[in-house]
Amino acid sequence: MKCEQIKILLSEYIDATIEAEGLKLVDEHIKKCDNCRYEYVSMKNMVDELKNMESISTPPDFVDKVINRIEKRSLIDKLKEVLFFNGHLRIPMELTAFVATAFLVFVILFNFMIDRKPNENDIVIKPNEVKIVDNNEIDPRLRGKGPIHLEFLLGASEGAKPISSNNLTSVSSGKSSAGNLSEYMFGVEEERAGRKEDMIISHIDTIISHVGGKVLSRGHRKGMSYPEYVTMEIPADKYSIFLKRIESFGSFQPPAPVLPEGYLNPVVLRVQFKSTD
Amino acid sequence: MNKEKNNGIIRGDDDSGLIKAFQSGNVNSFETLVIKYKDRVFNLCYRFLGDYQEAEDASQDVFVKVYNALNKFRFKSSFYTWLYRITVNTCKNRINSLAFKKIKKNVQLEDNENPELMKISDERNNPAKQLERKERIRLIQRAINDLPSGQKAIILLRDIEGLSYEEIGNIIGKRLGTVKSRLSRARLDLNKKLKRIL
């Protein structure tokens, strides 16, 4: 038998667990082979040395440290027991009830808010539909807040003053107060003497309709037959025509803002009428 | 299995009773198990890891794992076999961890740091002989440290812990033939390393 095969049997030979046939082979081989005999002796010494290695004492406070670690861990485990069951999050009944109630309240309120029909005094413009004329002349505070706020002078008498919002029985949407809006005065001179304001507004309604625009909302002043303001949407390509038509009733002071070149979105305007009385 | 080993500790005695007591809610019985097996677990960890502090941390880990799993122990194997399995796996995982590799790389593991060996040298009558003995132990431990984890486990369980082939097979989850052949290869490799350094 080759030395390599004998060396593999040496381990069991030393442990005395080798079978009889192997025992005989190793016995005979190591008598003749110095190399394998040396391997056997050195391995036997090594095994004996390992068996007799001194035992190392455990640190004196070992048990206390283990118990401390377990107690610390037990607190975490207790928390886990409360929160988890079979690896799944276990939610206390009170928390479940609270979350469910909060969710129901949210759903009900949300539905109420989105289902509420606007009254006629609301400016019914969704935020993403509001388009602002991006004109440098517009007060920066106006940008992104709502429609262009214009004041429209009914009649052309000097000293005409805007109607205070406080005097209105119903005013806009509350998105932006008039004080925060850039105020452009549309001074419109009467085309024909004696024309009543409501007739002018009726004409303006017709113009809005002709240019493909639409009235979004109106606000009324107490005791007045005509609207205090009208919020409207005018297609961008008809914006200049719309202004020109309105100019047939008078002139604008100062000039209305000009749309930026290439501007295609509908323009939303809120025109507040001023009394000449 | 009640079997007395070379260090005089009797394995298996009363383990079932202690475990059942623990499973019935007597937590103190666990402390008895720790006291009974702490030296064997700590020594195996020390020989496996070659570092005193690492051995302490690892053996604490072992008992924490045992505590957490003891309620699920179903007596399909003996407690000490199960305990050794946890110990070997804990040490293997620790050796494979990046933190341990970093320690091994940066710190030369020296038995001189072990107060127990210092105590041995003081206790003996022949200081020169003890110095030689101490140096041999240090070199043997270094050779053990250089063995792959699988070989290291099988050598320690057989030659230091004195377990049978069957017990080792149960601990490492291998058949008898595999245990024998792996032990033979491990002993040849360790002997080769020792012949080089001794």
Side-chain angles (χ1 to χ4, degrees):
Chain A
M1 189 175 251
K2 290 181 180 177
C3 291
E4 286 306 311
Q5 292 170 302
I6 293 295
K7 283 179 183 174
I8 288 170
L9 294 173
L10 286 177
S11 177
E12 279 197 79
Y13 183 80
I14 290 167
D15 284 346
T17 55
I18 194 167
E19 292 175 2
E21 189 183 352
L23 178 68
K24 189 180 174 188
L25 282 170
V26 176
D27 271 341
E28 289 175 357
H29 185 89
I30 60 175
K31 279 178 190 169
K32 297 182 290 184
C33 177
D34 292 343
N35 191 28
C36 286
R37 188 166 58 252
Y38 172 71
E39 185 71 34
Y40 160 70
V41 171
S42 63
M43 188 185 282
K44 178 81 169 63
N45 288 339
M46 178 193 79
V47 170
D48 289 343
E49 201 144 31
L50 289 171
K51 281 179 179 170
N52 294 321
M53 280 182 86
E54 282 82 2
S55 179
I56 312 295
S57 293
T58 311
D61 55 350
F62 181 82
V63 179
D64 290 339
K65 284 181 178 175
V66 170
I67 299 301
N68 284 341
R69 276 186 59 177
I70 286 167
E71 283 173 354
K72 278 184 188 172
R73 204 175 171 85
S74 292
L75 287 173
I76 297 168
D77 289 342
K78 279 176 190 170
L79 189 62
K80 281 181 182 172
E81 278 176 19
V82 172
L83 294 177
F84 293 93
F85 178 73
N86 282 345
H88 298 287
L89 186 64
R90 175 163 53 186
I91 303 168
M93 190 57 75
E94 294 83 356
L95 182 59
T96 310
F98 175 76
V99 171
T101 307
F103 179 72
L104 278 173
V105 169
F106 172 76
V107 167
I108 290 165
L109 286 178
F110 183 74
N111 284 334
F112 172 76
M113 288 173 73
I114 61 170
D115 288 345
R116 186 176 69 89
K117 290 184 179 176
N119 61 43
E120 68 167 13
N121 297 320
D122 290 338
I123 296 178
V124 284
I125 306 164
K126 292 176 183 174
N128 57 357
E129 292 174 351
V130 173
K131 308 296 178 189
I132 298 299
V133 177
D134 187 12
N135 188 303
N136 290 334
E137 292 178 32
I138 297 175
D139 186 329
R141 291 173 297 177
L142 176 63
R143 298 173 204 278
K145 287 190 174 178
I148 299 170
H149 184 98
L150 303 173
E151 290 192 346
F152 194 92
L153 188 63
L154 293 173
S157 65
E158 289 182 7
K161 293 177 182 175
I163 297 168
S164 166
S165 295
N166 295 333
N167 296 331
L168 302 178
T169 53
S170 55
V171 180
S172 72
S173 65
K175 283 182 179 176
S176 304
S177 69
N180 287 334
L181 298 170
S182 175
E183 296 180 359
Y184 284 85
M185 182 72 79
F186 279 49
V188 181
E189 293 177 358
E190 271 192 314
E191 186 186 20
R192 283 166 284 184
R195 178 173 288 274
K196 292 182 179 178
E197 293 85 349
D198 54 353
M199 289 293 289
I200 298 172
I201 291 167
S202 175
H203 277 290
I204 293 172
D205 281 353
T206 306
I207 293 167
I208 292 168
S209 176
H210 281 174
V211 298
K214 56 186 176 184
V215 173
L216 299 174
S217 68
R218 297 174 194 273
H220 289 270
R221 184 189 175 213
K222 186 185 287 184
M224 299 298 291
S225 60
Y226 60 88
E228 166 58 17
Y229 69 80
V230 176
T231 305
M232 63 198 79
E233 185 182 87
I234 307 296
D237 58 341
K238 299 287 172 47
Y239 176 73
S240 58
I241 295 172
F242 169 75
L243 296 180
K244 197 171 182 181
R245 290 273 186 91
I246 284 196
E247 276 182 321
S248 66
F249 294 100
S251 58
F252 298 103
Q253 295 174 0
V258 178
L259 290 182
E261 196 172 340
Y263 190 90
L264 298 174
N265 294 321
V267 182
V268 179
L269 307 169
R270 192 173 85 169
V271 176
Q272 188 159 335
F273 300 105
K274 293 201 298 183
S275 170
T276 58
D277 293 335
Chain B
M1 181 185 289
N2 298 331
K3 189 176 178 182
E4 192 159 347
K5 296 309 297 179
N6 54 359
N7 67 350
I9 288 180
I10 299 169
R11 301 178 315 195
D13 273 1
D14 300 328
D15 286 352
S16 297
L18 290 168
I19 295 163
K20 282 173 185 168
F22 177 83
Q23 290 175 342
S24 302
N26 180 4
V27 182
N28 291 336
S29 59
F30 175 78
E31 193 170 332
T32 310
L33 284 170
V34 177
I35 292 166
K36 183 176 179 182
Y37 286 104
K38 65 182 171 64
D39 291 333
R40 303 213 66 80
V41 169
F42 179 79
N43 270 269
L44 182 55
C45 289
Y46 177 77
R47 294 300 171 203
F48 214 111
L49 300 169
D51 180 79
Y52 196 81
Q53 188 56 51
E54 282 287 325
E56 185 178 359
D57 292 344
S59 43
Q60 283 180 21
D61 284 347
V62 169
F63 284 110
V64 171
K65 286 176 187 174
V66 168
Y67 179 88
N68 290 330
L70 199 55
N71 272 322
K72 295 172 188 168
F73 186 74
R74 292 291 173 260
F75 303 95
K76 288 179 180 175
S77 64
S78 60
F79 172 74
Y80 73 86
T81 304
W82 182 64
L83 178 65
Y84 274 125
R85 191 182 305 143
I86 293 172
T87 307
V88 168
N89 289 335
T90 301
C91 290
K92 280 184 177 178
N93 291 338
R94 214 169 180 90
I95 280 179
N96 291 332
S97 73
L98 286 174
F100 185 83
K101 285 174 182 170
K102 199 175 176 184
I103 288 170
K104 198 176 176 186
K105 189 177 177 183
N106 295 335
V107 180
Q108 181 68 34
L109 301 175
E110 292 289 344
D111 281 337
N112 290 338
E113 295 170 4
N114 175 12
E116 192 62 23
L117 284 182
M118 298 301 287
K119 195 174 85 178
I120 289 169
S121 61
D122 292 339
E123 285 172 350
R124 305 296 167 91
N125 296 326
N126 188 337
K129 196 173 179 182
Q130 269 315 297
L131 196 64
E132 185 188 338
R133 169 82 181 138
K134 186 180 155 189
E135 179 62 10
R136 278 187 72 80
I137 289 172
R138 192 181 70 80
L139 292 173
I140 290 169
Q141 182 63 55
R142 186 193 286 180
I144 292 170
N145 291 343
D146 288 342
L147 286 175
S149 288
Q151 287 193 355
K152 198 186 291 186
I154 216 160
I155 285 261
L156 296 178
L157 292 171
R158 176 64 189 173
D159 292 335
I160 295 184
E161 297 302 316
L163 302 186
S164 69
Y165 293 162
E166 289 83 1
E167 288 170 328
I168 295 169
N170 286 333
I171 290 165
I172 65 171
K174 299 292 178 190
R175 293 180 178 180
L176 198 61
T178 309
V179 173
K180 286 178 181 176
S181 61
R182 286 196 180 181
L183 177 65
S184 173
R185 176 50 54 197
R187 279 173 169 172
L188 286 168
D189 286 354
L190 184 62
N191 196 29
K192 196 173 174 182
K193 288 178 191 295
L194 287 172
K195 277 190 280 188
R196 221 181 287 147
I197 59 176
L198 286 177

